[in-house]
Amino acid sequence: MKHFGVYRKLILTAGTVVSAISVGAVLLMESVSAPVLFIACAFAALCGSLFLLDSLHNRYHDDLLEQITLLVETLVEQQERIIFPENEDTLTARLQHQLLRLRNILTAQNQMLAQEEEQIKTLISDISHQIKTPVAAANTFAQLLDDKESSDGECGEYLAALQTSLEKLTFLTNSLIKMSRLECGIISLKPEKSSLNGVVLQAVKTVYAKAKEKNITITFDCVQDFDAVLDFNWTAEAVANVLDNAVKYSPDGGDIGLTITEYPSWLRLDIADNGIGIPEEEQAKIFGRFYRGKQSAGVDGVGIGLYLTRDIINKQHGYIKVASDKGGSTFSIFFKKPTS
């Protein structure tokens, strides 16, 4: 079909020449029978019809291209306009359908890019705000230490405060790095069949020292060993984040209990404490990035732990929820059971 236009012109030209010759020969003949005259006229009419059809085809072709151009222009301008009837099974209707699908895909991608750009701006703003406080504190106490008139007791206090600020800054930096690497997909979780009991024990070891300082008892009574689909190290960190919060917000001498409940397709890990509890209006917000509730004033933290926990659990096709009252809080983490 590459040279269709050339072939068409050759056929039309040849038909015209033959038709003209035939009609001319008939007119020059002295005696022409009716059948011969009829055939010559029919041939001439056929050639004329071919020219007419060719003209109509060109007109239809031009109109079709104009409609397709109009369709593309509406898509470029992000307008919703139907050019060809959708209820007809034609090539133009199929082409229109595919172009509309392409437009929707590109629109969705543009929206995702805009959301990601907004998230990056928010993240940068949050990082700047969170880092500013410990850096300013560290700088202040470093200047106070440089004061030669400070006593040994004051220098000791300044050093302790400086150490605290540096620890907060280190913790914040490490948390932000982990969060950013998870969000950007630099770190990919590899869920596989692993011991949920082992994950819990690993998380308990992480917070054991802090719990001992407050004389908090952590209980995990589970005779049966349960396997779940999870990334062992990242899940242990997620559970440790919840345990760390439970230790922070539980009173001295408090109790934290961990239990595993089995369902047909899921395993539920409950982490229950007898701390200050979470107000109902805040329970939907605590998993947000950098969110800290009203009762967290005076408690160390930057509001990243639960955000990281939910992100890690969600990336493994699990989920987390919380139930809380004045008697304490219970965080329930659900894990997928292995299929075999």
Side-chain angles (χ1 to χ4, degrees), residues 114-141:
Q115 291 176 358
E116 290 178 358
E117 183 179 355
E118 189 63 30
Q119 288 175 354
I120 291 173
K121 291 180 180 179
T122 303
L123 178 59
I124 293 174
S125 175
D126 291 339
I127 291 173
S128 302
H129 174 72
Q130 294 293 329
I131 289 180
K132 182 170 60 177
T133 301
V135 168
N139 185 52
T140 300
F141 290 115

Side-chain angles (χ1 to χ4, degrees), residues 9-10 28 37 43 50-51 113 194 205 270 290 304 308:
K9 291 180 180 179
L10 289 175
L28 293 174
L37 182 60
F43 192 76
L50 287 175
F51 271 104
L113 289 174
S194 302
K205 290 178 182 178
D270 288 332
F290 298 117
I304 294 180
L308 276 174

Side-chain angles (χ1 to χ4, degrees), residues 4-234:
F4 174 76
V6 177
Y7 297 151
R8 185 184 63 193
K9 291 180 180 179
L10 289 175
I11 292 172
L12 290 174
T13 303
T16 302
V17 172
V18 172
S19 177
I21 294 174
S22 301
V23 174
V26 170
L27 294 176
L28 293 174
M29 293 176 62
E30 295 181 356
S31 59
V32 181
S33 60
V36 174
L37 182 60
F38 175 78
I39 292 173
C41 292
F43 192 76
L46 178 61
C47 290
S49 298
L50 287 175
F51 271 104
L52 178 60
L53 289 174
D54 183 67
S55 176
L56 293 174
H57 175 269
N58 288 336
R59 180 64 181 274
Y60 170 77
H61 188 262
D62 292 340
D63 290 343
L64 181 61
L65 288 178
E66 184 177 353
Q67 288 179 309
I68 294 176
T69 302
L70 180 60
L71 174 62
V72 173
E73 288 177 351
T74 57
L75 295 177
V76 170
E77 295 173 359
Q78 298 185 351
Q79 298 178 0
E80 192 71 29
R81 184 177 179 183
I82 304 301
I83 305 299
F84 302 103
E86 293 183 310
N87 57 352
E88 296 181 2
D89 187 16
T90 60
L91 289 175
T92 52
R94 290 165 58 187
L95 174 63
Q96 176 177 258
H97 177 69
Q98 295 299 327
L99 287 174
L100 289 174
R101 283 188 59 193
L102 178 60
R103 172 189 175 275
N104 293 335
I105 292 173
L106 293 176
T107 301
Q109 290 178 345
N110 288 335
Q111 291 175 349
M112 289 179 60
L113 289 174
Q115 291 176 358
E116 290 178 358
E117 183 179 355
E118 189 63 30
Q119 288 175 354
I120 291 173
K121 291 180 180 179
T122 303
L123 178 59
I124 293 174
S125 175
D126 291 339
I127 291 173
S128 302
H129 174 72
Q130 294 293 329
I131 289 180
K132 182 170 60 177
T133 301
V135 168
N139 185 52
T140 300
F141 290 115
Q143 291 176 358
L144 291 173
L145 283 171
D146 193 44
D147 187 359
K148 296 180 180 179
E149 297 181 359
S150 299
S151 64
D152 292 341
E154 289 175 334
C155 287
E157 293 178 1
Y158 297 155
L159 280 172
L162 179 59
Q163 182 65 30
T164 300
S165 297
L166 291 176
E167 288 176 355
K168 289 181 179 179
L169 185 59
T170 301
F171 170 76
L172 175 61
T173 303
N174 290 335
S175 299
L176 289 172
I177 290 173
K178 292 175 185 177
M179 181 182 66
S180 299
R181 293 172 73 183
L182 274 174
E183 288 186 339
C184 296
I186 297 175
I187 295 178
S188 59
L189 277 68
K190 298 178 180 179
E192 57 186 7
K193 183 179 179 181
S194 302
S195 170
L196 182 56
N197 300 57
V199 166
V200 173
L201 293 175
Q202 180 68 26
V204 170
K205 290 178 182 178
T206 304
V207 301
Y208 177 76
K210 291 183 179 180
K212 188 176 181 180
E213 288 179 2
K214 297 181 66 174
N215 197 28
I216 292 176
T217 301
I218 300 178
T219 305
F220 177 49
D221 293 327
C222 186
V223 178
Q224 183 179 350
D225 190 18
F226 292 100
D227 289 328
V229 180
L230 50 84
D231 184 299
F232 188 92
N233 292 327
W234 279 103

Side-chain angles (χ1 to χ4, degrees), residues 316-328:
Q316 300 178 103
H317 305 292
Y319 62 98
I320 181 172
K321 65 179 184 178
V322 62
S324 184
D325 53 32
K326 294 181 179 180

